Amino acid sequence: MTISYNWLNEYLPEQIEPEKLSKILTSVGLEVESMEHYESMKGGLKGLVIGEVLNCEPHPNADKLKITSVNIAAEQPLQIVCGASNVAQGQKVVVATIGSTIFPIQGEPLTMKIAKIRGVESYGMICAEDEIGLSENHEGIMVLPNDVVVGTPAAEYFKPYSDIIFEIGLTPNRMDAMSHFGVAKDVCAYLTHHNNQEYKPKNIFTNGFKADNQQLPIQVTVENTDACPRYAGVSISGIEVKESPEWLKNKLTAIGVKCINNIVDITNYFLHETGQPLHAFDANAIANNHVIVKKLAKETPFITLDEKERKLSENDIIICDGNEKPMCIGGVFGGLNSGIKSTTQNIFLESACFDATTIRKTSMLHNLRTDAATRFEKGVDIGNTVYVLQRAATLIKEIAGGNISSNVVDIYPIKKEKKEVSLKLQYLKKLSGKNYHPDTVKRILTALGFDLIKESIDEIRIAVPYSKPDITFPADIVEEIVRIDGLDNIDIPSSITITPQTNSLGIKNNLKDKIAYYLTGLGFNEILTNSITNSKYYSEETLQTTVKMLNNLSADLDILKPTMLETGLEVLAYNLNRKNNHLKLFEFGKTYSTTEVGKYTEQEHLSLYLTGAEHEDYWNIKSKKIDFYTAKGIAKAIVELIGVNAIHFQQNEHTTTLDIYTNKKLIGTLQEVSTKQAQQFDIKQPVYYIDFNYNTLVQEASAKKIMYKEMSKFPSVQRDVALIVDKNITYHQIEEVVKKLKLSKLQNIRLFDVFESNKLGNDKKSMAVNFTFIDEEKTLTDKEIDNMMNKLIKQFENDLSAEIRK
């Protein structure tokens, strides 16, 4: 938000030095991010004076140069070599003296020095208009009227406009401060509180509005009062569209607003003065002298002021003419055919209040981030609509001529009631940490425009002004009081009066920490990827259930991610392209889907991505490539880490994915990323992907009861057996056979070797399995162990047709 120091001071009851004003603004929550000096003519014409050419003779060594003698009311005339063709004796000119700096319209600043030009010394420069930043005219030196006094400083003659510009870091809730008058109200409230006397912003305009005739009545119909709760307008005839007066151009240019013409500039002036957007229509372009505010059919074409055709949405609020043809996107942007032109003589001036949500959606949909839309989407003062309109009409009549040719049309069917908020003084003390006197509270709130409705010993009830739509709760009132008093004035308490709570984060967050610590210990790095991704990664089938972005910031980010894999592969590709080839990554994230309009599903995941080697080569350890079994072991370890031991893996019937189950419940999947999918990201090495349904993991961990038992005093016993089985037999099948026997003293089973050879027989392999037995009450005997091993061997022979390798 840009604020002009000169403009702001017009509304303050007393002038405040810029530095002090900057501190006040920051104190009331309008943080001044920068304070810069502005000059309409850069350099302010310092060192430039008005001179008179006394003599003008040809240069002896150059045909196009002349040697002049210029009087600047100094002790001696200045000898200046000039190349302008129009320089002549007796002219009044602008002279840049030695040591002064000129700032041309184009090019770098130039500081005057004594120069020798073709053998003749020159003590300054006779200036053209573009050389001092006055205009782009470079047809010759600038010749001034004869009555100009020689020796007059150029700054005194031209009176360049200078100002100080504050750049304010405005928070989104402070629409009341999106204007010079709004900022002035905050400053006056600060002065009222801190100086113990009443300060009110000055109103520099007297509202002398009066209709001159009724020659141009414009009928207004508002069909959608939800999107446009108030609409006002007035007709002005016989105006002349021309350049704005200097005072108006100076104000707008200083804050970075481009001047267009007197009519448009006046609407911009009141936008930045009051925060109320206005729009002027060429009245002759309004068919049937009828303005209709309504919503049009979807895809209705409309050419806006920037000469672009836009397709309207069915939710846009549109200002139409009597034939229901669009003239303006309400509150956002005007139309090409109804705008103000140099030939316009009659106008219809609009001042309205539009629904903030509607304007925000329209502005984002059409990518039109205008000053008007910025203010409407934050909420404007609905009570100010007609007042600003009347003032603007009066100023247009004063500057552009013409007559006010209708009464004000004001469509305001349902008068908006002011919000009422109650504030307990004890709550104010509790939240602010300071004990405010009731009179102080009332003085601050009254200065800010609040109305006192009811007052008791410990509570006040106030009505919130329309200019503060963000004020809803007592906490908002506390904020208003504290910022006017100043946050620096809040004492640091000597004791804490609010008891801090120590709430547990719960099992979901605790498990995240536990898993994250474990994985980082294994050499993993945590990543965080964007929830928004590119639809080109997914098949048409997947896209049918994806959540699509309505106002995506770019074509590459248009849907919420339906799976975790693709965004993870983006990270892998980024690192692999930078020669970081050995990666172990994990992420806690969400996927999104929808099955019908308006109903969406979020699913939490724990995803792991592995590629390359487990570690680099060391002098005593060779690196080992990550493979499917590495990933499977990590998946199993994670499940066991959270206290769930009943885990098994099962090949998915429809894909190459390995499903991960615990207690017959699917908790995740494990897969090697397909070559086709890896190539989509230009990945040329194997990638393994583990994806857990995190909510299911949490449920399984929560259902697990933690049991404590004494460690066995007796030793465990291990036995190995090598089974010759068919090649299609898996370790999972061996585990299932062991489970069927329900051997209570069998503590652990582990596969430690797989051997394949033709010597074993056709399509045979050897699987070496280790068994660990233990008895919690006594030492196991060889006979007991042999008995259990015989049962296992017999079961393997029956169920798997296994042979015992001797």
Side-chain angles (χ1 to χ4, degrees):
M1 177 67 189
T2 305
I3 293 293
S4 157
Y5 172 74
N6 291 345
W7 196 347
L8 180 60
N9 263 309
E10 291 180 4
Y11 308 114
L12 299 180
E14 61 184 42
Q15 186 162 339
I16 305 173
E17 292 300 315
E19 290 76 12
K20 182 179 178 182
L21 184 57
S22 174
K23 291 179 180 178
I24 291 175
L25 293 175
T26 300
S27 177
V28 299
L30 306 176
E31 182 180 3
V32 176
E33 296 178 340
S34 67
M35 187 173 68
E36 297 180 357
H37 191 71
Y38 167 82
E39 293 170 320
S40 60
M41 301 174 70
K42 199 169 182 181
L45 303 179
K46 292 177 183 176
L48 277 64
V49 296
I50 306 301
E52 181 180 7
V53 181
L54 301 179
N55 294 304
C56 181
E57 299 177 355
H59 194 292
N61 301 320
D63 294 338
K64 294 184 179 181
L65 298 179
K66 295 177 181 178
I67 302 172
T68 65
S69 176
V70 183
N71 174 25
I72 61 169
E75 293 182 3
Q76 296 290 333
L78 299 179
Q79 178 176 281
I80 298 175
V81 177
C82 180
S85 59
N86 66 327
V87 64
Q89 183 179 350
Q91 292 173 334
K92 298 289 178 70
V93 294
V94 177
V95 179
T97 58
I98 300 301
S100 64
T101 301
I102 60 172
F103 296 84
I105 293 290
Q106 295 182 347
E108 298 296 319
L110 179 65
T111 300
M112 297 296 109
K113 298 178 181 177
I114 299 174
K116 186 173 282 190
I117 303 174
R118 294 290 184 94
V120 178
E121 289 188 333
S122 180
Y123 295 87
M125 178 177 176
I126 301 175
C127 302
E129 290 185 23
D130 69 325
E131 291 170 334
I132 61 174
L134 190 62
S135 75
E136 295 184 359
N137 184 3
H138 192 70
E139 294 179 356
I141 61 169
M142 179 170 28
V143 180
L144 304 177
N146 289 327
D147 59 353
V148 181
V149 178
V150 172
T152 302
E156 185 179 317
Y157 177 75
F158 289 103
K159 294 181 174 58
Y161 183 75
S162 64
D163 200 350
I164 294 172
I165 303 301
F166 297 108
E167 195 62 43
I168 294 175
L170 201 64
T171 52
N173 63 319
R174 292 300 312 280
M175 68 74 48
D176 60 304
M178 293 186 74
S179 65
H180 285 76
F181 198 75
V183 172
K185 287 195 285 187
D186 265 13
V187 174
C188 288
Y190 178 92
L191 296 174
T192 297
H193 171 61
H194 290 274
N195 294 352
N196 288 319
Q197 66 179 82
E198 186 177 8
Y199 289 82
K200 288 186 176 181
K202 291 192 295 185
N203 189 349
I204 60 175
F205 285 96
T206 55
N207 191 359
F209 177 86
K210 182 181 178 182
D212 298 304
N213 55 59
Q214 300 293 323
Q215 294 178 0
L216 190 58
I218 303 288
Q219 182 185 353
V220 175
T221 303
V222 179
E223 293 187 5
N224 193 312
T225 56
D226 291 333
C228 180
R230 189 173 192 181
Y231 189 96
V234 67
S235 303
I236 307 170
S237 62
I239 57 106
E240 180 185 1
V241 178
K242 56 184 179 180
E243 189 177 348
S244 295
E246 284 300 315
W247 69 266
L248 181 53
K249 290 194 295 183
N250 286 336
K251 285 186 175 181
L252 294 179
T253 305
I255 61 172
V257 177
K258 183 181 178 181
C259 293
I260 308 296
N261 56 56
N262 52 356
I263 304 301
V264 176
D265 291 350
I266 287 172
T267 63
N268 285 330
Y269 171 81
F270 282 101
L271 170 75
H272 290 278
E273 188 219 34
T274 66
Q276 172 65 49
L278 302 171
H279 188 74
F281 297 91
D282 187 331
N284 294 343
I286 303 176
N288 303 324
N289 284 350
H290 188 187
V291 170
I292 303 173
V293 183
K294 63 178 299 181
K295 294 182 178 181
L296 296 178
K298 185 178 181 181
E299 299 296 317
T300 299
F302 176 56
I303 301 176
T304 47
L305 276 172
D306 54 3
E307 301 183 3
K308 293 182 180 179
E309 181 177 283
R310 290 179 160 85
K311 301 295 185 181
L312 299 178
S313 161
E314 70 275 17
N315 296 317
D316 298 336
I317 188 72
I318 306 298
I319 315 302
C320 303
D321 63 14
N323 294 329
E324 298 192 355
K325 291 184 177 180
M327 298 190 297
C328 172
I329 302 176
V332 179
F333 208 39
L336 181 64
N337 298 324
S338 63
I340 302 300
K341 309 172 190 66
S342 59
T343 56
T344 297
Q345 294 182 331
N346 304 317
I347 66 171
F348 177 73
L349 187 63
E350 165 197 284
S351 178
C353 179
F354 296 104
D355 173 63
T357 303
T358 301
I359 298 302
R360 171 73 176 177
K361 289 180 177 179
T362 296
S363 173
M364 296 298 294
L365 175 65
H366 298 293
N367 195 26
L368 291 169
R369 306 298 296 141
T370 60
D371 284 341
T374 302
R375 282 154 178 82
F376 278 126
E377 69 187 26
K378 296 181 189 302
V380 298
D381 184 349
I382 196 171
N384 221 19
T385 305
V386 171
Y387 175 68
V388 176
L389 176 69
Q390 291 175 336
R391 284 185 50 198
T394 304
L395 187 60
I396 287 174
K397 179 182 175 182
E398 178 184 327
I399 292 176
N403 294 300
I404 299 175
S405 297
S406 74
N407 292 325
V408 170
V409 179
D410 183 18
I411 309 298
Y412 193 14
I414 304 175
K415 183 174 174 58
K416 184 178 179 180
E417 298 295 331
K418 288 185 176 181
K419 287 183 287 188
E420 295 184 7
V421 181
S422 295
L423 175 66
K424 292 183 180 293
L425 298 180
Q426 182 60 34
Y427 178 76
L428 170 61
K429 180 181 178 182
K430 177 182 177 181
L431 205 59
S432 68
K434 185 173 180 178
N435 193 10
Y436 287 95
H437 193 279
D439 291 341
T440 301
V441 174
K442 287 187 290 183
R443 183 169 63 247
I444 291 175
L445 294 178
T446 302
L448 287 171
F450 291 86
D451 297 324
L452 185 62
I453 298 175
K454 186 178 179 182
E455 179 183 5
S456 62
I457 297 176
D458 62 344
E459 184 179 13
I460 59 172
R461 187 165 184 80
I462 52 177
V464 180
Y466 294 124
S467 60
K468 294 181 178 291
D470 63 301
I471 304 294
T472 306
F473 305 108
D476 300 325
I477 304 297
V478 174
E479 179 188 356
E480 293 290 288
I481 295 168
V482 169
R483 70 180 183 84
I484 296 301
D485 182 39
L487 291 171
D488 293 339
N489 295 322
I490 303 296
D491 297 327
I492 298 175
S494 57
S495 61
I496 298 175
T497 57
I498 300 177
T499 304
Q501 294 182 340
T502 55
N503 290 331
S504 171
L505 293 175
I507 188 170
K508 179 179 277 192
N509 289 310
N510 290 338
L511 274 182
K512 279 187 180 180
D513 288 343
K514 188 174 183 178
I515 294 171
Y517 288 139
Y518 174 73
L519 290 174
T520 52
L522 291 180
F524 279 77
N525 288 296
E526 185 172 8
I527 61 172
L528 180 65
T529 61
N530 199 340
S531 293
I532 309 172
T533 187
N534 196 331
S535 59
K536 73 177 183 181
Y537 296 149
Y538 304 95
S539 66
E540 288 297 325
E541 183 181 357
T542 302
L543 290 175
Q544 290 179 3
T545 57
T546 57
V547 180
K548 298 174 179 62
M549 302 293 292
L550 294 178
N551 297 310
N552 48 304
L553 297 176
S554 71
D556 293 335
L557 298 172
D558 56 348
I559 62 170
L560 293 178
K561 60 184 178 186
T563 68
M564 298 288 290
L565 176 58
E566 286 72 18
T567 52
L569 290 177
E570 285 181 332
V571 177
L572 290 180
Y574 180 88
N575 282 273
L576 292 171
N577 290 337
R578 287 155 180 80
K579 305 301 181 184
N580 190 8
N581 297 324
H582 310 303
L583 298 165
K584 292 190 287 186
L585 309 174
F586 75 95
E587 178 181 15
F588 291 98
K590 291 182 179 181
T591 58
Y592 308 85
S593 62
T594 179
T595 53
E596 56 182 288
V597 177
K599 292 190 177 181
Y600 304 98
T601 303
E602 288 185 7
Q603 179 63 58
E604 290 191 69
H605 294 259
L606 165 61
S607 298
L608 293 83
Y609 314 87
L610 301 95
T611 188
E614 289 190 44
H615 55 76
E616 300 283 355
D617 276 331
Y618 296 102
W619 68 273
N620 60 343
I621 304 175
K622 291 294 182 181
S623 66
K624 178 181 178 294
K625 291 287 185 182
I626 292 172
D627 57 20
F628 197 85
Y629 297 102
T630 306
K632 184 179 177 183
I634 291 172
K636 182 179 180 182
I638 290 173
V639 177
E640 291 177 346
L641 178 72
I642 65 173
V644 179
N645 295 318
I647 176 175
H648 71 272
F649 298 86
Q650 182 175 317
Q651 185 69 45
N652 190 291
E653 295 179 2
H654 307 290
T655 67
T656 58
T657 302
L658 200 63
D659 293 334
I660 306 171
Y661 288 88
T662 178
N663 299 324
K664 298 182 180 181
K665 182 181 292 185
L666 180 66
I667 61 171
T669 58
L670 165 62
Q671 70 179 90
E672 180 179 352
V673 177
S674 68
T675 303
K676 181 180 179 181
Q677 198 162 20
Q679 286 176 346
Q680 195 175 9
F681 296 87
D682 200 26
I683 296 174
K684 299 179 176 62
Q685 62 189 55
V687 176
Y688 300 94
Y689 171 58
I690 307 168
D691 182 44
F692 286 108
N693 183 320
Y694 187 66
N695 288 334
T696 306
L697 275 183
V698 172
Q699 290 172 7
E700 291 299 303
S702 303
K704 183 71 176 180
K705 292 183 179 180
I706 299 176
M707 305 289 290
Y708 295 92
K709 66 178 181 178
E710 185 180 1
M711 291 184 66
S712 177
K713 299 175 183 179
F714 304 99
S716 61
V717 180
Q718 295 189 11
R719 291 287 178 89
D720 297 336
V721 64
L723 304 173
I724 300 175
V725 294
D726 294 338
K727 280 188 177 181
N728 61 354
I729 297 297
T730 64
Y731 177 62
H732 174 66
Q733 289 175 281
I734 294 175
E735 287 182 313
E736 291 299 312
V737 171
V738 173
K739 288 179 182 177
K740 285 170 62 176
L741 291 173
K742 297 180 181 180
L743 300 173
S744 60
K745 294 180 176 58
L746 179 60
Q747 185 184 43
N748 188 42
I749 174 175
R750 176 173 59 88
L751 177 69
F752 66 90
D753 185 50
V754 176
F755 173 71
E756 295 184 11
S757 172
N758 291 332
K759 295 179 181 179
L760 298 175
N762 293 331
D763 295 327
K764 296 288 184 178
K765 65 181 177 181
S766 172
M767 301 179 72
V769 184
N770 172 267
F771 299 93
T772 302
F773 302 94
I774 192 169
D775 191 328
E776 305 288 344
E777 298 177 353
K778 61 183 179 67
T779 301
L780 286 169
T781 64
D782 288 341
K783 183 178 180 181
E784 290 174 315
I785 297 169
D786 290 341
N787 184 40
M788 288 186 285
M789 286 301 299
N790 289 332
K791 288 182 180 180
L792 287 168
I793 291 170
K794 185 176 181 181
Q795 198 70 39
F796 290 141
E797 291 173 341
N798 292 337
D799 292 4
L800 305 178
S801 300
E803 298 178 29
I804 307 303
R805 189 178 174 194
K806 305 298 184 183

